[in-house]
Amino acid sequence: MKRIGILTSGGDAPGMNAAIRSVVRSSIYHDIEIYGIYYGYQGLIEGHIKRLHIGSVGDIIQRGGTMLYSSRSEEFKTGEGQAKAIEQLKKHDIEGLVVIGGDGSFRGAQKLTEKGFPCIGIPGTIDNDIPGTDNTIGFDTALNTVIQAVDKIRDTATSHERIYVIEVMGRDAGDLALWAGVAAGAESILIPEFPHDLEEVTEKIKRGHERGKRHSIIMVAEGVGSANDIANHIKDDLQVETRVTVLGHTQRGGSPTAFDRVLAGRLGAYAVDLLKGGQQGRMVGVQNNQLVHHDIIEALKLKNEISDDLYNLSNQLSI
Ligand code: ADP
């Protein structure tokens, strides 16, 4: 393999830049030329492709977002769009592609592999919803962003004796809400993977109130539904003041944590190793602190595992 390409696709995540840096520098280390493809799959179709050098990725390890930018491309989902993408790659004599993104981006990478163009996927999303890796790049940073926000909200919640319902991202996955809830000491955590009973939530608030607690934090994963509806239910049931905070896209930005930077560094270098070794249609990950790779389609067929232990612990610690 003499020349490879790299792109970022779908929702951005902190640490993507650190992964790009790792792929670029590892390629150059192995005497492979590396080309950056800008604006995700759409940019690939349109030929936004540029050679990258050691210095091209200087001073980005600490930055959120992605220097290659991202996009969502409907055209790429079609056979015609994929053919155009491969044409562009061939035009630039690129022989393999590293895709950093979520499950949608992985499905795109798989389509290119099936059409004869070798791809490797690196999981980059704050949702932590990709099976086959314990952590996705960006999850740890988003988690830290959420708990910083919750710590601040807790100050004002205590001062004013209010119930705060906080909605966090995660699409259909509850990882971010669960981990943030445990780390920030939330009273209740509502996530799509476990059924919830709003009566239990209000009962817990009542119990806390009776023993002099001045606030409650209810963590809601976006996949569960509207935080506003839940807050209204609590308000009507208990006749208490509730406030809703939707943390939204603040969760996607910011400087990556040390954990995400190191994870990105490891996965980026590993992706290059795999392409160099003739692998294709694989996703890379870290499980039990070991680098692993899996068939993309087989991995995506698996259910994203959420920790039962952590969920039970959260209930145990918020009695
Ligand atoms: P993420 O990668 O964060 O899950 P998306 O689901 O939006 O984000 O996917 C990013 C892009 O990947 C899409 O805009 C599309 O171009 C491509 N993609 C998604 N699903 C497929 C698919 N089944 N086949 C081909 N390309 C896909």
Side-chain angles (χ1 to χ4, degrees):
M1 188 133 319
K2 293 264 181 310
R3 198 176 273 191
I4 65 178
I6 177 167
L7 63 79
T8 48
S9 164
D12 68 321
M16 279 185 165
N17 276 326
I20 295 167
R21 174 180 179 272
S22 173
V23 170
V24 168
R25 299 241 166 122
S26 300
S27 301
I28 296 169
Y29 176 86
H30 292 299
D31 289 324
I32 298 169
E33 287 180 11
I34 173 84
Y35 280 70
I37 295 150
Y38 291 75
Y39 315 108
Y41 289 126
Q42 192 58 38
L44 173 56
I45 290 172
E46 293 169 10
H48 297 286
I49 301 174
K50 214 171 82 183
R51 174 110 184 249
L52 298 175
H53 302 278
I54 298 173
S56 313
V57 290
D59 201 27
I60 64 164
I61 197 168
Q62 78 283 21
R63 294 187 202 284
T66 156
M67 66 163 273
L68 293 176
Y69 310 119
S70 190
S71 71
R72 294 203 158 91
S73 168
E74 281 308 309
E75 189 180 358
F76 183 77
K77 288 186 179 169
T78 66
E80 244 175 43
Q82 290 153 20
K84 277 191 204 167
I86 292 180
E87 216 174 280
Q88 287 288 355
L89 290 161
K90 293 210 164 133
K91 200 167 107 188
H92 287 83
D93 289 326
I94 296 171
E95 297 164 280
L97 179 67
V98 176
V99 172
I100 309 173
D103 61 334
S105 305
F106 277 16
R107 286 181 212 285
Q110 178 60 22
K111 287 280 161 58
L112 292 184
T113 304
E114 282 166 13
K115 293 198 149 100
F117 197 88
C119 293
I120 302 286
I122 299 181
T125 160
I126 65 163
D127 301 333
N128 207 36
D129 60 349
I130 310 245
T133 186
D134 294 341
N135 280 75
T136 56
I137 297 167
F139 174 64
D140 186 65
T141 305
L143 179 56
N144 279 281
T145 301
V146 173
I147 65 167
Q148 278 169 26
V150 177
D151 289 350
K152 287 175 184 159
I153 287 168
R154 192 188 267 279
D155 292 344
T156 175
T158 308
S159 306
H160 288 278
E161 198 165 358
R162 279 178 188 147
I163 314 296
Y164 266 85
V165 181
I166 301 173
E167 184 182 304
V168 305
M169 282 181 152
R171 295 204 297 190
D172 299 327
D175 290 56
L176 198 50
L178 176 57
W179 281 75
V182 172
E187 274 64 32
S188 293
I189 302 172
L190 309 185
I191 56 176
E193 291 85 351
F194 293 93
H196 66 268
D197 178 359
L198 285 182
E199 302 316 312
E200 257 173 47
V201 173
T202 51
E203 270 310 308
K204 201 186 265 187
I205 295 171
K206 247 195 257 170
R207 279 203 307 273
H209 198 75
E210 278 159 16
R211 54 170 225 269
K213 231 175 145 151
R214 290 185 55 84
H215 67 255
S216 279
I217 304 279
I218 317 298
M219 217 61 171
V220 179
E222 66 178 341
V224 161
S226 155
N228 276 309
D229 291 350
I230 291 164
N232 284 335
H233 178 97
I234 296 170
K235 185 170 141 222
D236 293 344
D237 196 3
L238 297 176
Q239 303 299 313
V240 289
E241 267 203 83
T242 56
R243 290 285 186 276
V244 174
T245 302
V246 178
L247 293 176
H249 284 79
T250 55
Q251 296 161 93
R252 289 252 285 263
S255 178
T257 57
F259 182 90
D260 275 332
R261 296 182 200 193
V262 173
L263 178 66
R266 292 175 78 189
L267 294 182
Y270 195 43
V272 173
D273 282 347
L274 292 185
L275 269 182
K276 198 168 137 272
Q279 297 276 359
Q280 52 181 299
R282 315 291 293 177
M283 64 155 282
V284 293
V286 169
Q287 289 176 310
N288 301 319
N289 206 25
Q290 298 295 311
L291 286 163
V292 292
H293 60 95
H294 303 285
D295 180 273
I296 287 180
I297 289 306
E298 291 309 315
L300 292 184
K301 273 189 205 153
L302 300 173
K303 204 167 141 279
N304 181 44
E305 292 290 330
I306 193 140
S307 167
D308 289 5
D309 289 352
L310 205 55
Y311 186 74
N312 293 336
L313 178 68
S314 76
N315 285 323
Q316 189 173 314
L317 300 186
S318 61
I319 37 173

